[in-house]
Protein backbone atom coordinates (compact mmCIF):
# COMPACT_ATOMS: atom_id res chain seq x y z
CA UNK A 1 0.00 0.00 0.00
CA UNK A 2 1.30 3.38 -1.05
CA UNK A 3 -0.99 5.78 0.80
CA UNK A 4 0.23 8.82 -1.11
CA UNK A 5 -0.72 7.20 -4.42
CA UNK A 6 -4.06 6.03 -3.05
CA UNK A 7 -4.83 9.51 -1.73
CA UNK A 8 -3.90 10.97 -5.11
CA UNK A 9 -6.27 8.49 -6.79
CA UNK A 10 -9.21 9.57 -4.64
CA UNK A 11 -8.25 13.23 -4.51
CA UNK A 12 -7.84 13.26 -0.74
CA UNK A 13 -5.73 16.09 0.69
CA UNK A 14 -6.65 15.90 4.37
CA UNK A 15 -4.95 14.43 7.40
CA UNK A 16 -4.62 10.71 7.93
CA UNK A 17 -5.46 9.73 11.50
CA UNK A 18 -7.48 6.75 12.75
CA UNK A 19 -10.49 8.82 13.78
CA UNK A 20 -14.05 9.37 12.60
CA UNK A 21 -13.43 12.59 10.61
CA UNK A 22 -10.71 10.85 8.58
CA UNK A 23 -12.84 7.75 8.04
CA UNK A 24 -15.76 9.90 6.90
CA UNK A 25 -13.66 11.96 4.48
CA UNK A 26 -11.76 9.02 2.98
CA UNK A 27 -14.92 6.96 2.41
CA UNK A 28 -16.65 9.89 0.70
CA UNK A 29 -13.60 10.59 -1.48
CA UNK A 30 -13.26 6.92 -2.44
CA UNK A 31 -16.84 6.39 -3.63
CA UNK A 32 -16.88 9.67 -5.56
CA UNK A 33 -13.55 9.08 -7.31
CA UNK A 34 -13.66 5.32 -7.95
CA UNK A 35 -16.64 3.78 -9.74
CA UNK A 36 -18.17 0.48 -8.81
CA UNK A 37 -17.94 -1.63 -11.99
CA UNK A 38 -17.84 -5.24 -13.15
CA UNK A 39 -16.50 -4.64 -16.66
CA UNK A 40 -13.54 -7.01 -16.31
CA UNK A 41 -16.00 -9.80 -15.57
CA UNK A 42 -17.94 -8.79 -18.68
CA UNK A 43 -14.73 -8.77 -20.72
CA UNK A 44 -13.78 -12.23 -19.49
CA UNK A 45 -10.75 -11.04 -17.55
CA UNK A 46 -10.06 -12.84 -14.25
CA UNK A 47 -10.69 -10.75 -11.15
CA UNK A 48 -8.59 -11.43 -8.07
CA UNK A 49 -8.81 -10.56 -4.39
CA UNK A 50 -5.03 -10.22 -4.17
CA UNK A 51 -4.36 -6.75 -2.79
CA UNK A 52 -1.29 -5.85 -4.92
CA UNK A 53 -3.24 -6.66 -8.09
CA UNK A 54 -6.23 -4.61 -6.91
CA UNK A 55 -3.95 -1.67 -6.12
CA UNK A 56 -2.33 -1.86 -9.56
CA UNK A 57 -5.72 -1.96 -11.28
CA UNK A 58 -7.58 0.75 -9.36
CA UNK A 59 -4.74 3.08 -8.39
CA UNK A 60 -2.21 2.32 -11.12
CA UNK A 61 -4.62 2.11 -14.06
CA UNK A 62 -7.41 4.31 -12.68
CA UNK A 63 -10.06 1.62 -12.99
CA UNK A 64 -12.96 0.81 -10.69
CA UNK A 65 -14.00 -2.54 -9.29
CA UNK A 66 -16.69 -4.58 -7.58
CA UNK A 67 -17.06 -5.16 -3.84
CA UNK A 68 -14.08 -7.49 -3.39
CA UNK A 69 -11.79 -4.97 -5.05
CA UNK A 70 -13.34 -1.74 -3.76
CA UNK A 71 -13.63 -2.82 -0.14
CA UNK A 72 -10.38 -4.77 -0.32
CA UNK A 73 -8.46 -1.65 -1.34
CA UNK A 74 -10.41 0.63 1.01
CA UNK A 75 -9.86 -1.65 4.02
CA UNK A 76 -6.15 -1.95 3.23
CA UNK A 77 -5.77 1.83 3.11
CA UNK A 78 -7.65 2.21 6.40
CA UNK A 79 -5.37 -0.31 8.10
CA UNK A 80 -2.33 1.54 6.77
CA UNK A 81 -3.70 4.73 8.36
CA UNK A 82 -4.08 2.87 11.65
CA UNK A 83 -7.74 1.84 11.77
CA UNK A 84 -8.83 -1.54 13.11
CA UNK A 85 -10.85 -3.15 10.29
CA UNK A 86 -12.75 -6.44 10.24
CA UNK A 87 -13.67 -7.97 6.85
CA UNK A 88 -16.94 -9.88 6.96
CA UNK A 89 -18.49 -12.35 4.52
CA UNK A 90 -21.84 -10.69 3.87
CA UNK A 91 -24.77 -11.83 1.79
CA UNK A 92 -26.71 -9.74 -0.74
CA UNK A 93 -30.28 -11.10 -1.00
CA UNK A 94 -29.79 -13.35 2.06
CA UNK A 95 -33.24 -12.07 3.08
CA UNK A 96 -34.79 -14.16 0.28
CA UNK A 97 -32.08 -16.64 -0.77
CA UNK A 98 -30.81 -17.71 2.64
CA UNK A 99 -27.26 -18.53 3.72
CA UNK A 100 -26.29 -19.95 0.31
CA UNK A 101 -25.40 -16.41 -0.84
CA UNK A 102 -23.18 -15.53 2.13
CA UNK A 103 -19.80 -14.47 0.82
CA UNK A 104 -21.12 -12.62 -2.22
CA UNK A 105 -20.35 -9.29 -0.56
CA UNK A 106 -17.26 -8.19 1.37
CA UNK A 107 -18.36 -5.97 4.27
CA UNK A 108 -15.87 -3.86 6.28
CA UNK A 109 -16.55 -2.92 9.89
CA UNK A 110 -14.33 -0.32 11.57
CA UNK A 111 -13.77 -0.26 15.32
CA UNK A 112 -13.55 3.25 16.81
CA UNK A 113 -15.33 4.39 19.97
CA UNK A 114 -18.10 2.18 18.57
CA UNK A 115 -18.40 -0.10 15.55
CA UNK A 116 -19.07 1.48 12.15
CA UNK A 117 -20.23 0.02 8.85
CA UNK A 118 -17.92 1.64 6.27
CA UNK A 119 -18.80 0.08 2.91
CA UNK A 120 -17.19 1.49 -0.24
CA UNK A 121 -18.22 -1.46 -2.40
CA UNK A 122 -22.01 -1.68 -2.57
CA UNK A 123 -22.40 0.62 -5.56
CA UNK A 124 -25.14 2.80 -4.13
CA UNK A 125 -24.43 2.12 -0.47
CA UNK A 126 -23.93 4.75 2.23
CA UNK A 127 -21.15 7.24 1.47
CA UNK A 128 -20.76 8.01 5.18
CA UNK A 129 -19.75 5.57 7.96
CA UNK A 130 -22.80 4.27 9.80
CA UNK A 131 -22.67 3.37 13.50
CA UNK A 132 -23.90 -0.16 14.09
CA UNK A 133 -27.28 0.91 15.45
CA UNK A 134 -30.79 0.21 14.25
CA UNK A 135 -32.55 2.99 12.41
CA UNK A 136 -33.18 4.75 9.14
CA UNK A 137 -30.27 6.18 7.18
CA UNK A 138 -30.46 9.11 4.76
CA UNK A 139 -28.18 8.35 1.79
CA UNK A 140 -28.40 11.27 -0.62
CA UNK A 141 -31.86 11.03 -2.22
CA UNK A 142 -32.55 7.62 -0.66
CA UNK A 143 -33.92 6.52 2.70
CA UNK A 144 -32.32 3.23 3.76
CA UNK A 145 -32.34 1.25 6.99
CA UNK A 146 -29.99 -0.71 9.24
CA UNK A 147 -31.67 -3.31 11.44
CA UNK A 148 -31.03 -6.46 13.45
CA UNK A 149 -32.41 -9.72 12.10
CA UNK A 150 -32.17 -13.40 13.02
CA UNK A 151 -29.32 -14.95 14.98
CA UNK A 152 -27.15 -11.88 15.45
CA UNK A 153 -27.21 -10.86 11.78
CA UNK A 154 -27.61 -7.26 10.66
CA UNK A 155 -29.38 -6.14 7.48
CA UNK A 156 -28.74 -3.06 5.36
CA UNK A 157 -31.97 -2.37 3.48
CA UNK A 158 -31.61 -0.30 0.33
CA UNK A 159 -34.22 2.20 -0.81
CA UNK A 160 -36.34 0.82 -3.67
CA UNK A 161 -35.35 3.90 -5.67
CA UNK A 162 -31.78 2.65 -5.59
CA UNK A 163 -32.54 -0.85 -6.79
CA UNK A 164 -33.96 -2.45 -3.70
CA UNK A 165 -31.49 -5.20 -2.69
CA UNK A 166 -30.52 -5.78 0.91
CA UNK A 167 -27.38 -7.31 2.31
CA UNK A 168 -26.82 -9.10 5.60
CA UNK A 169 -23.68 -9.36 7.70
CA UNK A 170 -22.72 -10.93 11.00
CA UNK A 171 -19.82 -9.62 13.12
CA UNK A 172 -18.54 -13.19 13.62
CA UNK A 173 -18.77 -14.40 9.99
CA UNK A 174 -15.26 -13.65 8.71
CA UNK A 175 -14.67 -16.58 6.37
CA UNK A 176 -11.94 -15.64 3.86
CA UNK A 177 -12.28 -18.96 2.03
CA UNK A 178 -15.99 -18.32 1.54
CA UNK A 179 -15.26 -14.86 0.12
CA UNK A 180 -12.69 -16.40 -2.23
CA UNK A 181 -15.08 -19.11 -3.40
CA UNK A 182 -17.93 -16.67 -4.06
CA UNK A 183 -15.60 -14.28 -5.86
CA UNK A 184 -14.61 -17.08 -8.22
CA UNK A 185 -18.19 -18.29 -8.71
CA UNK A 186 -19.66 -14.84 -9.40
CA UNK A 187 -17.25 -14.18 -12.26
CA UNK A 188 -17.46 -17.61 -13.90
CA UNK A 189 -20.95 -19.09 -13.52
CA UNK A 190 -23.17 -18.30 -16.54
CA UNK A 191 -26.12 -17.66 -14.21
CA UNK A 192 -24.23 -15.11 -12.10
CA UNK A 193 -25.80 -11.64 -12.29
CA UNK A 194 -22.30 -10.24 -12.74
CA UNK A 195 -21.77 -12.42 -15.81
CA UNK A 196 -25.20 -11.57 -17.21
CA UNK A 197 -25.26 -7.82 -16.58
CA UNK A 198 -22.83 -4.94 -17.06
CA UNK A 199 -23.14 -2.47 -14.17
CA UNK A 200 -21.29 0.77 -13.40
CA UNK A 201 -22.16 3.04 -10.46
CA UNK A 202 -20.80 6.15 -8.79
CA UNK A 203 -21.71 8.75 -6.20
CA UNK A 204 -21.01 12.39 -7.04
CA UNK A 205 -22.24 15.43 -5.08
CA UNK A 206 -24.85 13.24 -3.32
CA UNK A 207 -26.33 12.16 -6.67
CA UNK A 208 -26.08 8.54 -7.72
CA UNK A 209 -25.15 7.68 -11.30
CA UNK A 210 -25.55 4.20 -12.74
CA UNK A 211 -25.38 2.38 -16.03
CA UNK A 212 -27.21 -0.93 -16.09
CA UNK A 213 -27.04 -2.38 -19.56
CA UNK A 214 -28.10 0.40 -21.94
CA UNK A 215 -29.76 2.63 -19.34
CA UNK A 216 -27.97 5.59 -17.75
CA UNK A 217 -29.71 6.80 -14.58
CA UNK A 218 -29.07 9.80 -12.37
CA UNK A 219 -30.86 9.75 -9.02
CA UNK A 220 -30.78 12.98 -7.02
CA UNK A 221 -32.90 15.07 -4.70
CA UNK A 222 -34.52 16.51 -7.83
CA UNK A 223 -35.74 13.07 -8.93
CA UNK A 224 -34.74 10.40 -11.44
CA UNK A 225 -33.37 11.08 -14.92
CA UNK A 226 -32.77 8.28 -17.43
CA UNK A 227 -31.28 8.04 -20.90
CA UNK A 228 -30.96 5.14 -23.31
CA UNK A 229 -27.39 4.71 -24.53
CA UNK A 230 -27.38 4.58 -28.32
CA UNK A 231 -24.40 2.46 -29.30
CA UNK A 232 -20.80 1.39 -28.53
CA UNK A 233 -19.29 4.85 -29.05
CA UNK A 234 -21.91 6.43 -26.81
CA UNK A 235 -21.28 3.71 -24.20
CA UNK A 236 -17.53 4.37 -24.09
CA UNK A 237 -18.13 8.15 -23.99
CA UNK A 238 -20.65 7.78 -21.15
CA UNK A 239 -18.20 5.74 -19.09
CA UNK A 240 -15.55 8.42 -19.54
CA UNK A 241 -17.78 11.45 -18.97
CA UNK A 242 -19.93 10.26 -16.05
CA UNK A 243 -17.71 7.65 -14.40
CA UNK A 244 -14.13 8.77 -15.17
CA UNK A 245 -13.48 5.40 -16.85
CA UNK A 246 -11.30 5.59 -19.93
CA UNK A 247 -11.95 2.10 -21.30
CA UNK A 248 -12.19 1.88 -25.10
CA UNK A 249 -12.31 -1.95 -24.81
CA UNK A 250 -15.81 -1.60 -23.40
CA UNK A 251 -17.07 -1.06 -26.96
CA UNK A 252 -16.58 -4.81 -27.48
CA UNK A 253 -19.30 -5.45 -24.92
CA UNK A 254 -21.99 -3.63 -26.88
CA UNK A 255 -23.54 -6.62 -28.72
CA UNK A 256 -23.87 -8.52 -25.44
CA UNK A 257 -25.23 -5.46 -23.61
CA UNK A 258 -27.81 -4.75 -26.33
CA UNK A 259 -28.95 -8.39 -26.44
CA UNK A 260 -29.26 -8.58 -22.66
CA UNK A 261 -31.23 -5.31 -22.64
CA UNK A 262 -33.82 -6.83 -24.97
CA UNK A 263 -34.15 -9.93 -22.77
CA UNK A 264 -34.66 -7.82 -19.64
CA UNK A 265 -37.25 -5.62 -21.37
CA UNK A 266 -39.17 -8.69 -22.54
CA UNK A 267 -39.10 -10.15 -19.02
CA UNK A 268 -40.45 -6.92 -17.58
CA UNK A 269 -43.20 -6.77 -20.18
CA UNK A 270 -44.24 -10.35 -19.40
CA UNK A 271 -44.25 -9.84 -15.64
CA UNK A 272 -47.73 -9.66 -14.00
Amino acid sequence: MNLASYFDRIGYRGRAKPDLPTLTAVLRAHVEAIPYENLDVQLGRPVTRALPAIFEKIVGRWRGGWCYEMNGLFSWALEEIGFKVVRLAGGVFRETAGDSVVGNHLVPLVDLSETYLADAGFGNGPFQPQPLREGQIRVGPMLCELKKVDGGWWRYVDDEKGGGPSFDFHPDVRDERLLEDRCRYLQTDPASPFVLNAVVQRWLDEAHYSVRGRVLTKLSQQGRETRLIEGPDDYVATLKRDFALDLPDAARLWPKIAARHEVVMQEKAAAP
Side-chain angles (χ1 to χ4, degrees):
M1 168 58 65
N2 182 324
L3 269 180
S5 296
Y6 171 73
F7 287 159
D8 182 62
R9 173 69 177 92
I10 67 174
Y12 181 67
R13 300 289 181 266
R15 59 185 185 141
K17 296 182 178 180
D19 57 20
L20 185 57
T22 299
L23 178 62
T24 302
V26 172
L27 175 58
R28 179 68 173 264
H30 184 114
V31 299
E32 291 199 341
I34 304 174
Y36 175 101
E37 50 111 336
N38 70 332
L39 297 180
D40 274 353
V41 175
Q42 292 287 302
L43 289 163
R45 298 170 180 168
V47 179
T48 177
R49 292 184 59 236
L51 293 176
I54 295 171
F55 186 92
E56 190 277 330
K57 175 183 175 179
I58 295 179
V59 177
R61 290 187 278 128
W62 282 61
R63 283 287 305 278
W66 61 352
C67 74
Y68 303 107
E69 298 168 301
M70 292 282 272
N71 279 332
L73 178 67
F74 179 62
S75 298
W76 191 18
L78 293 183
E79 288 172 331
E80 194 72 11
I81 293 169
F83 289 97
K84 181 180 178 182
V85 183
V86 174
R87 297 171 178 82
L88 306 180
V92 178
F93 290 120
R94 179 179 175 271
E95 180 178 11
T96 54
D99 288 344
S100 65
V101 299
V102 173
N104 68 6
H105 186 50
L106 169 59
V107 182
L109 295 186
V110 179
D111 184 17
L112 290 170
S113 56
E114 59 182 312
T115 302
Y116 285 82
L117 170 67
D119 194 330
F122 193 56
N124 68 337
F127 48 77
Q128 292 183 325
Q130 300 299 324
L132 207 56
R133 306 176 203 151
E134 290 190 289
Q136 291 186 322
I137 302 168
R138 172 59 64 181
V139 184
M142 303 187 301
L143 189 60
C144 305
E145 185 180 7
L146 193 58
K147 63 181 182 179
K148 294 179 181 178
V149 289
D150 56 294
W153 288 81
W154 286 81
R155 177 166 298 151
Y156 177 82
V157 183
D158 196 11
D159 191 313
E160 289 186 359
K161 294 193 295 291
S166 67
F167 69 84
D168 292 5
F169 57 95
H170 192 297
D172 295 331
V173 179
R174 311 177 184 186
D175 193 331
E176 289 291 324
R177 186 177 64 178
L178 187 56
L179 287 166
E180 193 67 34
D181 288 347
R182 297 302 294 182
C183 178
R184 182 168 54 254
Y185 161 79
L186 289 171
Q187 62 185 293
T188 56
D189 191 281
S192 163
F194 295 96
V195 173
L196 290 171
N197 305 292
V199 179
V200 186
Q201 303 183 67
R202 180 191 189 188
W203 281 107
L204 190 60
D205 297 328
E206 299 197 13
H208 184 257
Y209 294 77
S210 66
V211 170
R212 299 178 184 272
R214 289 187 61 190
V215 181
L216 170 66
T217 302
K218 178 184 177 183
L219 185 62
S220 68
Q221 296 289 1
Q222 287 68 50
R224 180 188 299 271
E225 305 171 37
T226 62
R227 179 176 74 84
L228 196 64
I229 298 172
E230 296 298 331
D233 292 342
D234 188 14
Y235 189 68
V236 170
T238 299
L239 294 179
K240 189 170 185 177
R241 180 186 63 247
D242 294 321
F243 301 92
L245 275 176
D246 188 4
L247 191 62
D249 281 358
R252 293 198 285 112
L253 298 174
W254 187 252
K256 178 182 177 181
I257 287 171
R260 178 63 180 165
H261 179 84
E262 293 304 316
V263 169
V264 171
M265 291 299 103
Q266 291 171 12
E267 290 174 348
K268 288 184 177 179

